[in-house]
Amino acid sequence: VVKIGKVPIGGRAFTVIAGPCAVETRDQTRNTAEAVKAAGAAALRAGAYKPRTSPYGFQGHGREGLAILKEVSEETGLPFVTEVMDTADVDAVAQAADAIQIGARNMQNFALLRAVGQTNKPVLLKRGLSAKIEELLLAAEYLLAAGNEQVILCERGIRTFETATRNTLDLNAVPYIKQKTHLPVLVDPSHGTGIRDLVIPMSLAAAACGADGLLVEVHEDPAVALSDGAQSLYPQGFRNLMNSLRPVVEAVGRQMA
Ligand SMILES: [Mn+2]
């Protein structure tokens, strides 16, 4: 069991971490955080540093975004996870956040893995776009070998020949990893599908196949989101997700954190 703030990931708990793809404004972050908290999310997610495919896409607010997240986290009592992309920002992110995310595109950034491995904050390590499970586990090994044993893995979809969905959510990985390691495994159905209407069904499937929780994108108004609006749930959709999830979580012998 790895704890983000006081929130357990692993064991009997099923933990939902939700929030916008990116910190856009203080109000947008606060409104979304309050909505996910009211619906039962245990922790907050949002990016201050955004790895974008295009250099002209919104790159995130950096340190200013971290400060907003810290403020909203204190106001709502939700611990938060946020991504670090650069070794130069590891100290700042480790100081502000309750958990540090290493994103899919940096899963094999070995300098970053070593630097984050030297912090004492939990790490949420996402599977790379084209990474085999073995490569994900070896990336986790970098963190463990550097002395950080608080590692949470995250299946977020892989690139396949299929183009109907943004990625192919590899739920095989969940029970496979749980049989091979002691590390908790989260599923990100937002990036895993890229399609809002698939987020709820794949979340239920993730709970059914043994995931320890979810990382879900929610935006107060996805139509105007600066990134990943098409896969972000509306607050009402997130409430529906949480209501649908509870019976599945209980059916597999887990408890909502
Ligand atoms: Mn996103």
Side-chain angles (χ1 to χ4, degrees):
V1 178
V2 176
K3 285 192 168 172
I4 298 184
K6 289 176 182 164
V7 174
I9 317 281
R12 280 204 67 201
F14 187 87
T15 308
V16 178
I17 305 172
C21 180
V23 173
E24 297 170 6
T25 65
R26 181 175 275 103
D27 283 351
Q28 165 259 3
T29 306
R30 182 188 292 124
N31 292 342
T32 307
E34 283 172 354
V36 299
K37 185 187 181 185
L44 178 66
R45 62 138 295 145
Y49 298 91
K50 298 304 300 172
R52 301 305 301 283
T53 301
S54 164
Y56 309 113
F58 172 57
Q59 304 286 310
H61 292 308
R63 303 236 166 170
E64 200 187 317
L66 281 182
I68 291 174
L69 272 169
K70 183 91 187 146
E71 195 182 307
V72 170
S73 169
E74 279 165 10
E75 281 174 17
T76 57
L78 293 175
F80 75 97
V81 56
T82 196
E83 177 166 356
V84 68
M85 292 169 53
D86 191 320
T87 51
D89 300 317
V90 168
D91 286 346
V93 174
Q95 222 162 43
D98 298 286
I100 305 170
Q101 177 176 314
I102 294 180
R105 289 165 184 77
N106 275 312
M107 189 203 84
Q108 285 187 314
N109 180 336
F110 301 116
L112 188 63
L113 289 167
R114 283 202 186 89
V116 171
Q118 281 164 14
T119 71
N120 59 6
K121 284 290 163 87
V123 187
L124 199 164
L125 177 64
K126 293 188 119 185
R127 182 179 181 181
L129 278 72
S130 300
K132 296 193 290 182
I133 293 170
E134 183 188 15
E135 291 164 331
L136 170 62
L137 298 182
L138 287 169
E141 200 68 35
Y142 268 86
L143 296 165
L144 298 165
N148 192 333
E149 298 185 342
Q150 304 176 82
V151 178
I152 302 156
L153 301 176
C154 182
E155 166 59 43
R156 47 79 69 203
I158 51 175
R159 182 160 290 181
T160 67
F161 56 80
E162 182 56 74
T163 54
T165 50
R166 178 176 177 178
N167 290 293
T168 295
L169 186 60
D170 180 19
L171 290 182
N172 289 351
V174 175
Y176 184 90
I177 292 169
K178 302 236 1 139
Q179 285 169 22
K180 296 282 177 191
T181 81
H182 65 288
L183 300 173
V185 183
L186 298 182
V187 167
D188 172 351
S190 306
H191 295 89
T193 65
I195 300 172
R196 180 180 307 118
D197 288 347
L198 299 187
V199 169
I200 293 181
M202 296 316 290
S203 295
L204 304 185
C209 75
D212 296 297
L214 302 172
L215 193 68
V216 186
E217 286 187 340
V218 181
H219 194 285
E220 59 167 345
D221 186 1
V224 298
L226 295 180
S227 58
D228 289 350
Q231 67 195 33
S232 297
L233 294 177
Y234 285 84
Q236 181 59 50
F238 184 69
R239 288 192 284 276
N240 295 344
L241 164 63
M242 295 301 282
N243 290 333
S244 315
L245 205 49
R246 281 185 192 96
V248 178
V249 165
E250 283 166 20
V252 295
R254 311 287 290 262
Q255 279 176 335
M256 294 289 280

